[in-house]
Amino acid sequence: MHKNELMEQRESKDYLSQLTLDCVILGFNEGELKVLLLRWKETQEWSLPGGPILQSESIDAAAYRILKERTGLNDIFLKQFHTFGEQPRYNLAEIQEKLKHLIDPEIWYKRAVTIGYYALVDYAKVSPQPDELTVECKWWDIKEIPQLLFDHNHIIQLALQALQIEINLQPIGYNLLPEKFTMPELQRLYETILDRKLDPRNFYKKIISLGILTRLKERRKGVSHKAPYLYKFDKAAYEAKLKEGGLSFL
Amino acid sequence: MHKNELMEQRESKDYLSQLTLDCVILGFNEGELKVLLLRWKETQEWSLPGGPILQSESIDAAAYRILKERTGLNDIFLKQFHTFGEQPRYNLAEIQEKLKHLIDPEIWYKRAVTIGYYALVDYAKVSPQPDELTVECKWWDIKEIPQLLFDHNHIIQLALQALQIEINLQPIGYNLLPEKFTMPELQRLYETILDRKLDPRNFYKKIISLGILTRLKERRKGVSHKAPYLYKFDKAAYEAKLKEGGLSFL
DNA sequence: CCAAAAGTGTTAAAGCTACACCCATGT
DNA sequence: ACATGGGTGTAGCTTTAACACTTTTGG
């Protein structure tokens, strides 16, 4: 997409004007939470994946579309968490300056409201794809995120808060871990999201007592210590529990 | 405001287009939760208060503005809970037909996204005010809400769900009750929001243990049974607790 | 005096926290 | 053999749930 095309898009009647959507796409790898970020062409500036909403699609559909475009994945855990409508939301002049080689400063909306979604994905299954205005799409460790464009640091912060609440209501690991995983891996995921240490014995008891995990006979190999058991989620048991309403975690 | 003025408003550059805001204004009276609804001129059709957002104001400011216009109150507990962007959200043709004597069917957006807020107010302090397109603004018992225009029944339903979660994190009663209230009144408020009966002894112990209430020497008079004590919130203690992070309810 | 709702304490069960040692694996 | 992290049980404490009778007031 070139300048003219983008201009057409912004002014097009095919899209909602002044309303966009941003996705905080979260994965888990090497014991850390990761976010998928995009680097804009000919810059060192990063931002969240996002974009405008088609007149013909629901906002959830727009989020799924963006997710599919950046990750290649369908059928993802996706949740709207907040709509950002401060006035101003960020320093527009700064954005116009930083991206003027890509986007005519004239065509930025003076104001845009954005709907924030977060997605939980299996890190290993994602093939990050930049879009028309960016050259690089890659995972960043949640603790090492640089200064981002727009108000995207703030958006990520609220997404993580929303996730801390959600972890008490959903077996988040189901979406963030590969099919088979070890108990310490699951524990580290919870520790990262909740940002505190958990006791391994208590964690084990609590997770097992939910009755939604199956321990496999396999163990993880190739580690220089005792080989941990592998587990997987028992989807049927999980959905049965959910219906009873009886799912609440840590 | 007449047809032409409304037309100008819809098409005006002073407002965001295709993005509106709706407020679920909740009060508590006679042991029941109430919502403030508006009846449209020359109809029996009811809807939530809401409207478009000025280019110059944040979405929170727009919500406060609408609230102020309908209730006369400033400084209200207000919380964004969800943004509604289904496509379609409701049957537009039906709305056009029902309101054609007020609004030219041509000027409805083919599509609008709305941001949902709920507000918690002291029932007794509100003086309900209709707006330019409505003749009546009044409280409805939450259990007796009629079929509303747009997707407003759905919006109310989600607001109540959000409130059920929020009640665990905030001393909701502070906003919904008058300055002085009795323990049974507070209990009935919790029972109504959570939609289940609570044990009065356990409720009393739990609330008192939070240490944010002061029992007054006064009692409520004029009831044909034992006179209950009055309590009020100890705002200082409440804010101290909140800072410690140690506030979690029922 | 009757009807209505307020006020109050104890006990049992469940859930949570804290805590330490031996085991299996790769180098 | 050593370093690394895995796997596991118990006891005390806190929190929650269940439960019933007496009191006060107005009519």
Side-chain angles (χ1 to χ4, degrees):
Chain A
M1 178 148 47
H2 295 90
K3 277 194 182 184
N4 289 342
E5 288 174 65
L6 185 76
M7 212 145 171
E8 278 165 30
Q9 183 188 46
R10 290 271 156 170
E11 286 162 7
S12 159
K13 292 197 170 162
D14 297 341
Y15 291 91
L16 293 171
S17 77
Q18 299 188 74
L19 183 63
T20 61
L21 190 150
D22 288 297
C23 290
V24 180
I25 303 174
L26 297 167
F28 188 65
N29 190 236
E30 294 174 348
E32 297 294 344
L33 263 188
K34 313 277 180 172
V35 200
L36 209 53
L37 296 177
L38 293 164
R39 182 165 64 80
W40 291 66
K41 283 179 177 164
E42 303 158 57
T43 71
Q44 294 303 316
E45 304 288 344
W46 295 81
S47 77
L48 289 171
I53 297 159
L54 279 164
Q55 291 288 358
S56 59
E57 71 189 352
S58 73
I59 57 177
D60 286 358
Y64 280 115
R65 175 174 53 75
I66 289 168
L67 224 65
K68 168 83 184 187
E69 287 167 7
R70 292 305 126 251
T71 66
L73 298 178
N74 290 309
D75 287 328
I76 273 175
F77 180 96
L78 183 64
K79 184 138 178 163
Q80 184 195 311
F81 66 95
H82 191 73
T83 295
F84 298 84
E86 317 310 312
Q87 177 59 325
R89 264 175 59 211
Y90 47 80
N91 185 334
L92 177 59
E94 187 187 313
I95 300 288
Q96 286 171 320
E97 176 60 27
K98 283 181 174 167
L99 302 180
K100 67 179 181 218
H101 60 294
L102 294 174
I103 299 176
D104 182 343
E106 292 300 309
I107 76 163
W108 288 98
Y109 298 127
K110 290 217 179 59
R111 179 189 184 183
V113 170
T114 199
I115 308 171
Y117 280 78
Y118 64 84
L120 305 179
V121 305
D122 178 351
Y123 182 91
K125 289 207 182 121
V126 171
S127 34
Q129 305 271 323
D131 62 23
E132 301 82 358
L133 293 166
T134 56
V135 269
E136 199 179 347
C137 180
K138 82 165 206 203
W139 289 108
W140 283 75
D141 190 302
I142 205 80
K143 287 174 181 147
E144 293 165 8
I145 295 170
Q147 179 90 12
L148 304 178
L149 292 172
F150 314 101
D151 54 351
H152 288 186
N153 294 89
H154 178 221
I155 292 177
I156 291 174
Q157 201 186 326
L158 289 208
L160 294 174
Q161 281 177 24
L163 184 58
Q164 286 190 345
I165 292 173
E166 193 68 15
I167 205 178
N168 292 302
L169 309 170
Q170 294 266 336
I172 293 298
Y174 181 71
N175 306 288
L176 282 165
L177 293 174
E179 196 191 347
K180 300 173 182 182
F181 53 88
T182 68
M183 196 57 74
E185 281 162 8
L186 185 61
Q187 185 181 336
R188 240 162 273 131
L189 173 59
Y190 276 71
E191 287 178 339
T192 310
I193 292 175
L194 296 171
D195 199 24
R196 63 189 169 93
K197 283 259 168 280
L198 301 171
D199 178 274
R201 284 166 288 197
N202 294 339
F203 181 79
Y204 178 86
K205 274 179 287 184
K206 189 136 178 188
I207 291 289
I208 290 298
S209 75
L210 297 171
I212 59 171
L213 291 188
T214 314
R215 185 163 100 173
L216 306 176
K217 288 187 177 148
E218 281 176 90
R219 291 158 176 260
R220 168 125 317 153
K221 287 173 196 162
V223 285
S224 77
H225 53 74
K226 187 169 176 177
Y229 286 103
L230 289 167
Y231 292 79
K232 61 179 186 183
F233 279 96
D234 178 343
K235 203 176 183 193
Y238 160 56
E239 279 166 5
K241 285 267 171 180
L242 244 197
K243 275 188 191 162
E244 291 172 26
L247 268 191
S248 136
F249 296 72
L250 308 189
Chain B
M1 179 150 46
H2 294 91
K3 276 195 182 186
N4 289 343
E5 289 174 66
L6 185 77
M7 215 147 173
E8 279 165 31
Q9 182 190 353
R10 290 271 157 168
E11 286 160 8
S12 160
K13 292 199 168 159
D14 297 340
Y15 291 91
L16 293 170
S17 76
Q18 297 186 74
L19 183 63
T20 61
L21 190 151
D22 288 297
C23 290
V24 181
I25 303 174
L26 298 168
F28 187 66
N29 190 240
E30 294 175 350
E32 297 293 343
L33 263 187
K34 312 277 179 171
V35 201
L36 209 52
L37 296 177
L38 293 164
R39 183 165 64 82
W40 291 65
K41 283 179 178 164
E42 301 159 57
T43 70
Q44 294 303 317
E45 304 289 341
W46 294 81
S47 77
L48 290 171
I53 298 160
L54 279 164
Q55 290 290 356
S56 59
E57 72 190 351
S58 72
I59 57 176
D60 286 359
Y64 281 115
R65 175 174 53 76
I66 289 168
L67 224 65
K68 168 85 184 183
E69 288 167 6
R70 290 307 126 252
T71 65
L73 298 179
N74 290 309
D75 287 330
I76 273 176
F77 179 96
L78 183 64
K79 185 136 179 164
Q80 183 195 312
F81 67 95
H82 191 73
T83 295
F84 298 84
E86 317 310 313
Q87 177 58 328
R89 266 176 59 212
Y90 47 81
N91 185 335
L92 178 58
E94 187 187 315
I95 300 289
Q96 286 171 321
E97 176 60 26
K98 284 181 174 166
L99 302 179
K100 68 180 180 216
H101 59 294
L102 295 172
I103 299 175
D104 182 343
E106 291 301 307
I107 76 163
W108 287 98
Y109 298 128
K110 290 218 179 59
R111 178 187 185 185
V113 170
T114 199
I115 307 171
Y117 281 78
Y118 64 84
L120 305 180
V121 306
D122 178 350
Y123 182 91
K125 288 205 183 124
V126 170
S127 34
Q129 303 272 322
D131 62 23
E132 301 83 359
L133 293 167
T134 55
V135 268
E136 198 178 347
C137 180
K138 80 164 209 206
W139 290 107
W140 283 75
D141 190 303
I142 205 81
K143 286 173 181 148
E144 293 165 8
I145 296 171
Q147 179 91 10
L148 303 178
L149 292 171
F150 315 102
D151 54 350
H152 289 185
N153 294 89
H154 179 221
I155 292 177
I156 291 173
Q157 201 185 327
L158 290 207
L160 294 174
Q161 281 177 24
L163 184 58
Q164 286 190 344
I165 293 173
E166 194 69 15
I167 204 177
N168 292 302
L169 309 169
Q170 295 266 340
I172 293 299
Y174 182 70
N175 306 289
L176 283 166
L177 293 175
E179 195 191 349
K180 300 174 182 181
F181 53 89
T182 68
M183 195 58 74
E185 280 162 9
L186 185 60
Q187 183 182 338
R188 240 162 271 132
L189 172 58
Y190 276 71
E191 288 179 338
T192 310
I193 292 175
L194 296 170
D195 199 22
R196 62 190 170 93
K197 284 258 168 284
L198 301 171
D199 178 275
R201 283 165 290 195
N202 294 339
F203 181 80
Y204 179 86
K205 275 178 285 184
K206 189 136 181 190
I207 290 289
I208 290 298
S209 75
L210 296 171
I212 59 171
L213 291 189
T214 314
R215 184 164 101 173
L216 306 176
K217 285 181 181 154
E218 279 176 272
R219 291 159 174 259
R220 168 122 323 150
K221 287 172 197 163
V223 285
S224 76
H225 52 75
K226 188 168 174 177
Y229 285 103
L230 288 167
Y231 292 80
K232 60 179 185 184
F233 279 96
D234 178 342
K235 203 177 182 193
Y238 160 57
E239 279 166 6
K241 285 266 170 178
L242 243 196
K243 274 187 190 162
E244 291 171 25
L247 268 191
S248 138
F249 297 71
L250 307 189

